[in-house]
Amino acid sequence: MIKIAPSILSADFANLERDIHRISAADYVHVDVMDGVFVPNISIGIPVVQSIRKVTDMFLDVHLMIVEPVRYVEQFCDAGADLVTVHVEADSAHKIMEAINKIHAKGKKAGIVLKPKTPAEAALPFLEHVDLILVMTVEPGFGGQKFMADMMPKVAALRKLIDEKNPACELEVDGGVAPDTCRTCIEAGANVLVAGSAVYKAPDIPARIAELRG
Ligand code: DX5
Ligand code: ZN
C-alpha cells in the first residue's frame, strides 16, 4: 500500500491545527525541521512538534535538516515524533549511527535521508539498522520546487537493496511529488510519498491524497 505524507511546510502555520485535520485522510504528517545551516532556510522545531502531538494521533514523520542531528534526536522523540529521519550528509557515519541508536532507544522509528547528489551507496552502512530511507527529489530547503526525475534510478537501486537486505524498511521520496510525478516514484519502488504544495494547494485535499496514491 502506498502511504501519503503531506508536508506541513505548505500549511498555514497560524492555522496549523486546522491544516493538520485537513489531511486526516493521509498516513503520515511530514514535519520539516530546518536550522538555517544545513539548508538555507529556517522552519520549525521541538515546541511545534510538541504542540502538534497534542492535537493529532496521526503518525509524525519528522525530517531533520539540521547539522549534527545526534544533538537533538532524543528531544524530538520526547516531543512526540514517531519517526525521526537524519541526513547522512549532516555528520560522520559514526555519529549518524549514534543518532539512529538514540532514536531506537526511545522506542521510535529511525530513518536516513539522502540529498540529490548523494549516491545510493551512502545508505549501505545504515541499511540494516533503519526503518525508512528517504530520497530527496529536490534540493532540501524549500517547498514548491521542480521534481528531479533523474533521482528515479537511485530510488530503484535502493528498492533492490532494501528487498535484499531489510524488506521491512520503507522507501520515501520528498520534493515535487504531484499527480503527474507520483506514478514514476511508485514504479521506481517508493512506498511513502511526501507532498507539500500538491496537497495544500489542492481544492479538494482528500481527493488529492487519494490521487497521489497512484
Ligand atoms: C523540502 C522539504 C519538503 C517540502 C516538499 O526541503 O523536505 O518536505 O516541504 O514540498 P513540495 O511537495 O512542495 O515539493
Ligand atoms: Zn521533507
Side-chain angles (χ1 to χ4, degrees):
M1 193 201 87
I2 302 302
K3 295 177 181 173
I4 305 301
S7 164
I8 57 161
L9 196 59
S10 295
D12 175 358
F13 286 138
N15 291 287
L16 199 47
E17 180 173 8
R18 179 200 69 190
D19 277 4
I20 286 168
H21 292 146
R22 279 186 173 158
I23 57 165
S24 58
D27 302 279
Y28 296 173
V29 180
H30 185 83
V31 182
D32 287 304
V33 176
M34 305 180 183
D35 67 353
V37 180
F38 185 73
V39 289
N41 196 7
I42 298 176
S43 58
I44 55 174
I46 296 153
V48 177
V49 174
Q50 256 167 1
S51 297
I52 295 171
R53 181 75 290 166
K54 289 189 193 129
V55 300
T56 183
D57 292 328
M58 286 179 77
F59 185 96
L60 298 187
D61 161 16
V62 176
H63 174 193
L64 297 185
M65 286 162 272
I66 67 174
V67 295
E68 298 171 21
V70 69
R71 297 174 298 152
Y72 290 107
V73 288
E74 287 169 312
Q75 288 184 63
F76 279 99
C77 290
D78 291 340
D82 295 293
L83 161 73
V84 178
T85 61
V86 297
H87 272 266
V88 297
E89 308 87 359
D91 209 337
S92 66
H94 175 76
K95 289 282 184 185
I96 295 300
M97 200 56 231
E98 196 181 318
I100 292 165
N101 291 336
K102 281 188 167 171
I103 298 163
H104 281 154
K106 285 281 182 187
K108 305 303 178 86
K109 292 189 170 178
I112 51 161
V113 194
L114 309 183
K115 285 169 56 163
K117 290 190 186 76
T118 304
E121 296 71 49
L124 281 172
F126 312 104
L127 190 60
E128 277 149 291
H129 305 280
V130 291
D131 306 288
L132 178 143
I133 297 175
L134 168 52
V135 175
M136 293 307 300
T137 42
V138 297
E139 284 296 339
F142 301 92
Q145 302 182 75
K146 191 177 177 295
F147 178 76
M148 297 169 75
D150 53 338
M151 292 299 113
M152 293 304 102
K154 182 156 91 181
V155 173
L158 285 165
R159 167 49 61 199
K160 192 160 177 284
L161 286 165
I162 286 172
D163 287 348
E164 283 165 15
K165 295 174 191 288
N166 183 6
C169 182
E170 299 202 287
L171 184 53
E172 183 177 52
V173 288
D174 181 5
V177 177
D180 61 336
T181 55
C182 61
R183 236 174 239 138
T184 171
C185 297
I186 296 165
E187 280 163 14
N191 78 299
V192 186
L193 310 186
V194 177
S197 37
V199 167
Y200 278 105
K201 288 210 172 92
D204 181 342
I205 289 179
R208 175 55 54 85
I209 289 168
E211 192 181 0
L212 290 171
R213 293 187 198 278

